[in-house]
């Protein structure tokens, strides 16, 4: 099962290995993305990253803060895209400022100082957010907003959020505006889907594979989702549906064969990319 934590790890590896000498490669990649997106969407999405490095008295890095946010361009609705881009940029700046002023920085400096005194290895702490484009078709854009924090020890903290926009209005879409299933119908879909996915990795999910409808109902406020080329991805962050695990549990409810369950696209049975990939 492809997990969001693996996706986050890959993103972070790519980010860590990137440098100024990769500018031409990045430009080429963005041009390719633009070509791919222009076929079925009037919107083009690229990203920009803000990075802040915190050092101690010895000029050693103790904390790295980064935020990768989207920049959307289009051939229409410029006011909508401009407002969204302004909000994304502000969100990134606010995140950097908040972490810089947090107790995390003080704790990292103290930990680094203690490690130096004891001649132990210190691994810089970090907080990272990445907006990852998952779906861009017609007038709908969907992101996975993935956050990772490392504040010492052997555990990284993962927390993700799905964010989907109606680009005609610039408004964030609710699940009920995308998906037909509600109430007990939705609960049954979620219960069956998470059971199936958890069963594939029993050890990771502490052998928890039996999710009752009551389990789902109690955790509905923690349910996340985003759109992908294959379908709608439902997921729970660590320590919500399953306590004591650092893994994100997810499953995809596919478009193909389930067209009546989706309120889009209006003219196609399934998104064109999905149909061609099957």
């Amino acid at each position: 099962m492809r997990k969001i934590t693996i996706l986050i790890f890959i993103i972070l590896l790519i980010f860590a290995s990137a440098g100024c000498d990769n500018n031409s490669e990045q430009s080429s990649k963005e041009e390719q993305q633009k070509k791919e997106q222009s076929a079925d969407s009037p919107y083009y999405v690229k990203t920009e990253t803000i990075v802040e490095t915190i050092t101690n008295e010895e000029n050693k890095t103790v904390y790295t803060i980064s935020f990768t946010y989207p920049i959307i361009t289009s051939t229409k609705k410029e006011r909508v895209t401009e407002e969204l881009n302004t909000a994304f940029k502000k969100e990134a700046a606010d995140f950097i400022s908040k972490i810089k002023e947090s107790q995390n920085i003080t704790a990292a400096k103290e930990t680094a100082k203690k490690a130096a005194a004891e001649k132990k290895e210190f691994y810089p702490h970090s907080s990272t957010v990445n907006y990852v484009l998952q779906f861009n078709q017609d007038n709908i854009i969907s992101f996975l907003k993935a956050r990772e924090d490392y504040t010492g020890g052997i555990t990284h903290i993962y927390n993700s959020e799905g964010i989907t926009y109606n680009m005609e209005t610039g408004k964030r879409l609710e699940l009920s505006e995308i998906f037909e299933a509600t109430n007990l119908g939705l609960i049954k879909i979620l219960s069956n889907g998470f059971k199936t996915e958890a069963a594939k990795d029993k050890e990771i999910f502490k052998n928890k594979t039996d999710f009752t409808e009551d389990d789902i109902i109690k955790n509905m406020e923690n349910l996340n989702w985003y759109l992908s080329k294959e379908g709608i991805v439902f997921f729970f962050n660590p320590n919500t549906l399953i306590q004591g695990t650092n893994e994100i549990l997810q499953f995809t409810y596919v478009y193909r064969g389930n067209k009546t369950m989706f309120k889009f696209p209006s003219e196609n049975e399934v998104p064109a990319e999905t149909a061609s990939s099957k």
Side-chain angles (χ1 to χ4, degrees):
M1 180 180 64
R2 181 180 66 85
K3 299 182 178 63
I4 297 175
T5 48
I6 297 175
L7 175 61
I8 298 171
F9 182 68
I10 293 172
I11 295 166
L12 293 174
L13 284 180
I14 294 172
F15 174 75
S17 63
C20 294
D21 57 335
N22 290 330
N23 286 342
S24 60
E25 180 181 342
Q26 179 64 24
S27 177
S28 175
K29 182 179 179 181
E30 289 183 355
E31 283 301 315
Q32 180 61 31
Q33 289 176 336
K34 187 172 183 178
K35 291 177 182 178
E36 293 173 353
Q37 293 174 23
S38 62
D40 51 23
S41 172
Y43 301 97
Y44 168 54
V45 183
K46 63 178 181 178
T47 59
E48 186 165 312
T49 302
I50 300 177
V51 180
E52 189 86 26
T53 301
I54 310 300
T55 59
N56 59 11
E57 294 81 356
E58 288 74 38
N59 203 33
K60 301 289 186 180
T61 298
V62 296
Y63 212 107
T64 300
I65 314 166
S66 70
F67 196 112
T68 298
Y69 62 93
I71 300 174
I72 305 172
T73 57
S74 72
T75 56
K76 62 177 185 176
K77 299 290 183 183
E78 287 303 324
R79 179 188 60 78
V80 170
T81 55
E82 286 175 5
E83 289 177 354
L84 281 174
N85 290 337
T86 297
F88 289 138
K89 187 173 183 178
K90 182 179 184 302
E91 181 186 11
D94 289 347
F95 177 80
I96 298 290
S97 296
K98 183 178 180 179
I99 298 298
K100 285 176 66 176
E101 297 169 1
S102 72
Q103 184 60 31
N104 287 0
I105 303 299
T106 301
K109 289 181 177 180
E110 292 176 351
T111 301
K113 185 175 182 179
K114 182 178 179 181
E118 297 176 356
K119 296 183 178 180
K120 294 182 178 179
E121 187 74 26
F122 170 76
Y123 298 96
H125 297 181
S126 62
S127 291
T128 302
V129 172
N130 285 280
Y131 269 85
V132 186
L133 179 65
Q134 299 291 336
F135 185 90
N136 181 11
Q137 188 166 313
D138 301 319
N139 294 308
I140 298 176
I141 292 180
S142 192
F143 296 101
L144 170 65
K145 179 185 173 185
R147 175 171 176 174
E148 184 217 19
D149 292 279
Y150 174 69
T151 56
I154 60 173
T155 302
H156 290 235
I157 301 171
Y158 301 101
N159 189 280
S160 295
E161 180 182 7
I163 301 175
T164 301
Y165 291 101
N166 176 344
M167 294 303 299
E168 285 291 313
T169 63
K171 301 297 183 181
R172 182 170 173 174
L173 289 170
E174 300 293 334
L175 179 60
S176 60
E177 297 176 277
I178 290 291
F179 203 52
E180 290 285 358
T182 58
N183 303 324
L184 291 180
L186 176 60
I187 298 300
K188 190 173 293 294
I189 287 173
L190 296 174
S191 178
N192 291 336
F194 286 121
K195 280 181 185 179
T196 300
E197 290 305 312
K200 297 176 183 178
D201 292 281
K202 293 182 180 180
E203 293 183 3
I204 292 177
F205 295 109
K206 300 187 179 296
N207 294 315
K208 172 71 173 177
T209 59
D210 184 21
F211 301 105
T212 66
E213 293 182 4
D214 192 49
D215 290 332
I216 302 296
I217 291 171
K218 289 178 179 178
N219 283 279
M220 281 303 289
E221 64 180 16
N222 298 313
L223 178 68
N224 282 278
W225 64 274
Y226 63 86
L227 298 175
S228 72
K229 293 179 180 179
E230 291 73 34
I232 185 169
V233 181
F234 293 105
F235 67 95
F236 282 101
N237 279 304
N239 294 308
T240 51
L241 186 62
I242 303 178
Q243 294 293 317
T245 176
N246 199 38
E247 299 291 331
I248 294 176
L249 177 61
Q250 71 171 44
F251 82 94
T252 302
Y253 189 84
V254 298
Y255 303 120
R256 179 170 285 278
N258 297 304
K259 69 173 184 176
T260 59
M261 298 303 292
F262 295 90
K263 297 182 179 181
F264 77 96
S266 58
E267 299 179 356
N268 303 312
E269 177 179 352
V270 295
E273 292 180 15
T274 305
S276 64
S277 66
K278 296 293 183 180

